[in-house]
């Protein structure tokens, strides 16, 4: 590459803020060499930390930001006409004054104050002999290869050359690196980005080059986001629900209606407001399932949690009235008649076997019934967790009666009583069907499942605040969806199940019991197996330390906001391999600011990106204005 070509390529890829940025790599420091104690609790995706020194310019401190990417020549050889650079992400920036660095606490006090006072004016100059800017940077395990007028990114770490010049990637390169793969697939021009969710599927802006007012949008692959699960973690007030509603709105608006559906387990009852514009849209088929029946818009209004500034806003009632008029509001009906499942039949037969182990002819009768149950299930592709139907009960009743007669089971025995009373289950099945048909407004698990199978329904919001009821519903619905997908070998439509306040649904199993433990294990099973069948999961919580870590490890994409507790940050760092130096930046985040990283859904894999999410409340405000 000749000098002129090199200059042209570097100009198109790098920025020096109008000749203000002049930097060199000063050191490459091994991370956690020797297996220190810190390395056992702190995850890191890089083996080295890099120290970069920059000539001081007074404007430069306002332009440099954590999250920017640096490129430094490395030892790995590209071909003759190409240059290869190690890419690293800035994790910390600080200025240094030579006079202050040499200041000792043991010095004469008046002299110390005089040196400190004189240094104040130095910061307003461009004196490179007295001051310097230092940067800590973490390699992101990607190399940049530049050849001719083109470039490409290659995964893998290469050792950078100490003493080489450090270049700063410009906004165009960042946009290309983070978005090109996705925007090409979606057919979007990222340079014409807007905040309107109806027009642009972006989820926010990259927090980079903000001082120069350069806008860089951030896009995600919605299909992979759904199929491979994602998590949202932040302290109370960090904007978790706002972010989720923002992502869901764009996902529903910019994906195929027949291929993507969403189920919200809304235990905090706030998404009826945050997604009001979609729910009230007559062309958007959706359903809100509340805890109790509501007969007036006033009741509906009072059951919805709203931000403080909207608590008395009468315009919301108009929107909710439209939702009710379209017949989109229902209520959850708990199952009153317990129809047994196939697994219960098998368990009852196992219990009978234990009680009659000394009676071989009784065992033969039990085996005959047991084998017939399994054969019936196998022929029809039925799962153990499914409820029995009338045809099965009638068939197995006949088989059971024949078995006890054939093997001469005594008519006073418990096995005889069990075998000759199976047809009583028919009354339970018929009674349940009658009550379901009579209660038209109520939605059972089966009705919700059928709603999701409807090609046109896009969103089902289960706004139920009672923890026991919503966990019971979560267990039954996820079991049913997963077992049906397995039997039918279906992948589409993709169904995203969102668990807001996830600590209620997937608590650490060691500290829980009863329905909490059962729910945690069921959602963990869904996370482990769901992606094979098009069932995705989103978990959102502020209490990550209390979650089931086996479930957390199934997430491929994560949004991390402010987590004040050090243990929560250490758990994030260890579970998702985010460098602690990068993660500490989240302590400075305001509401709506996130660290986004993904193994599969972003334009570049497993690179932490600082973003500012678009505000979902702006979409609601625009809708309320149109009312």
């Amino acid at each position: 590459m000749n000098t002129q070509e090199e200059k042209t390529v570097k100009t198109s890829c790098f920025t020096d803020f109008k000749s203000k940025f002049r930097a060199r790599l000063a050191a490459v420091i091994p991370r956690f060499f020797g297996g220190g104690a810190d390395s056992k609790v702190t995850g890191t995706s890089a083996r080295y930390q890099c120290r970069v020194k920059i000539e001081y310019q007074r404007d430069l401190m306002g332009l440099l930001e954590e999250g920017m990417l640096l490129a430094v020549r490395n030892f790995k050889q590209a071909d003759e006409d190409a240059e290869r650079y190690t890419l690293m992400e800035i994790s910390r920036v600080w200025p240094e004054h030579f006079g202050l660095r040499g200041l000792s606490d043991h010095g004469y006090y008046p002299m110390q104050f005089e040196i400190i006072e004189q240094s104040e004016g130095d910061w307003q100059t461009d004196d490179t002999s007295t001051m310097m800017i230092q940067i800590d940077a973490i390699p992101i395990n990607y190399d940049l290869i530049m050849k001719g007028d083109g470039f490409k990114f290659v995964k893998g770490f290469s050792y950078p050359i100490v003493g080489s010049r450090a270049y700063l990637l410009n906004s165009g390169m960042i946009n290309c690196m983070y978005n090109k793969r996705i925007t090409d697939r979606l057919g979007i021009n990222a340079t014409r980005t807007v905040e309107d969710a109806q027009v642009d599927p972006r989820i926010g802006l990259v927090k980079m080059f903000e001082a120069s007012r350069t806008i860089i949008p951030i896009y995600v692959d919605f299909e992979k986001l759904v199929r491979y699960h994602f998590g949202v973690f932040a302290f109370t007030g960090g904007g978790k629900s706002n972010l989720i509603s923002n992502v869901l709105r764009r996902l529903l608006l910019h994906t195929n209606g027949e291929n993507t559906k969403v189920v919200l387990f809304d235990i905090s009852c706030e998404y009826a407001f945050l997604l009001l514009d979609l729910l009230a849209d007559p062309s958007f088929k959706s359903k809100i399932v509340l805890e109790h029946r509501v007969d007036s818009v006033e009741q509906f209004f009072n059951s919805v949690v709203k931000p403080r500034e909207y608590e008395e806003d009468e315009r919301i009632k108009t929107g909710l009235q439209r939702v009710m008029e379209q017949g989109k509001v229902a209520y959850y009906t708990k199952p009153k008649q317990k129809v047994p499942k196939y697994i219960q039949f098998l368990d009852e037969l196992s219990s009978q076997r234990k009680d009659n182990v000394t009676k071989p002819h009784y065992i033969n009768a039990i085996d005959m019934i047991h084998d017939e149950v399994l054969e019936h299930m196998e022929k029809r592709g039925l799962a153990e967790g499914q409820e029995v139907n009338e045809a099965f009960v009638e068939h197995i009743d006949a088989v059971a009666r024949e078995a006890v007669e054939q093997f001469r089971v005594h008519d006073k025995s418990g096995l005889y009583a069990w075998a000759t009373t199976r047809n009583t289950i028919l009354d339970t099945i018929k009674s349940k069907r009658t009550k379901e048909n009579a209660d038209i407004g109520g939605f059972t698990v089966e009705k919700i499942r059928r709603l999701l199978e409807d090609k046109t329904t896009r969103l089902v919001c289960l706004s139920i605040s009672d923890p026991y009821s919503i966990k019971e519903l979560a267990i039954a619905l996820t079991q049913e969806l997963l077992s049906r997908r397995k039997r039918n070998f279906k992948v589409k439509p993709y169904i995203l199940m969102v668990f807001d306040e996830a600590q209620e649904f997937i608590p650490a199993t060691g500290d829980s019991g009863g329905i909490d433990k059962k729910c945690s294990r069921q959602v963990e099973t869904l996370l482990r197996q769901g992606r094979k069948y098009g069932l995705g999961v989103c978990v959102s919580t502020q209490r990550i330390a209390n979650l089931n870590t086996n479930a957390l490890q199934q997430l491929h994409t994560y949004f991390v906001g402010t987590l004040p507790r050090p243990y929560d940050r250490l758990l994030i760092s260890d579970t998702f391999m985010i460098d602690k130096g990068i993660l500490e930046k989240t302590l400075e985040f305001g509401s709506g600011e996130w660290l986004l990283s993904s193994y599969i859904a972003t334009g570049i894999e497993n690179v932490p990106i600082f973003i500012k999410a678009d505000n979902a409340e702006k979409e609601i405000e625009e809708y309320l204005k149109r009312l």
Side-chain angles (χ1 to χ4, degrees), residues 218-231:
I218 185 69
Y219 297 90
V220 294
D221 186 323
F222 289 125
E223 179 181 319
K224 291 178 179 177
L225 188 74
V226 169
R227 283 197 67 180
Y228 294 92
H229 318 313
F230 67 100

Side-chain angles (χ1 to χ4, degrees), residues 199-229:
V199 178
D200 195 342
R202 79 179 198 192
I203 61 171
L205 300 176
V206 177
K207 278 182 60 63
M208 202 181 297
F209 299 102
E210 290 181 305
S212 56
R213 298 183 181 179
T214 302
I215 294 177
I216 307 173
I218 185 69
Y219 297 90
V220 294
D221 186 323
F222 289 125
E223 179 181 319
K224 291 178 179 177
L225 188 74
V226 169
R227 283 197 67 180
Y228 294 92
H229 318 313

Side-chain angles (χ1 to χ4, degrees), residues 420-557:
T420 55
T421 56
R422 293 305 87 199
N423 58 3
T424 57
I425 299 172
L426 291 173
D427 296 333
T428 303
I429 296 173
K430 291 174 183 177
S431 175
K432 179 183 177 184
R433 187 190 307 121
T434 302
K435 289 185 178 182
E436 283 185 358
N437 292 336
D439 194 4
I440 299 173
F443 266 64
T444 60
V445 173
E446 179 61 21
K447 274 191 176 183
I448 295 170
R449 184 195 61 76
R450 290 201 298 265
L451 194 65
L452 292 170
E453 287 185 350
D454 178 12
K455 288 185 177 181
T456 57
T457 301
R458 301 294 312 282
L459 171 65
V460 177
C461 184
L462 307 173
S463 293
I464 300 171
S465 61
D466 177 48
Y468 188 91
S469 296
I470 199 167
K471 288 173 192 174
E472 186 180 53
L473 176 56
I475 293 168
L477 185 60
T478 54
Q479 277 181 342
E480 185 70 12
L481 287 171
L482 189 57
S483 63
R484 282 181 174 270
R485 287 287 172 105
K486 286 180 178 179
R487 291 197 309 274
N488 300 328
F489 302 101
K490 284 182 65 176
V491 174
K492 291 186 178 180
Y494 301 131
I495 299 178
L496 174 65
M497 280 165 272
V498 181
F499 294 94
D500 195 22
E501 304 296 340
Q503 71 276 1
E504 297 287 344
F505 299 95
I506 49 171
T509 52
D511 300 328
S512 59
I515 194 167
D516 289 337
K517 192 168 190 174
K518 188 176 180 181
C519 188
S520 183
R521 287 184 170 173
Q522 177 57 35
V523 177
E524 180 189 334
T525 301
L526 179 66
L527 280 157
R528 283 191 283 104
Q529 301 178 10
R531 61 176 173 268
K532 293 183 287 187
Y533 304 103
L535 300 176
V537 175
C538 165
V539 298
S540 169
T541 185
Q542 74 272 21
R543 302 181 64 187
I544 187 171
N546 294 344
L547 297 191
N548 180 339
T549 52
N550 292 331
L552 284 179
Q553 288 169 350
Q554 305 301 320
L555 306 178
H556 281 61
T557 304

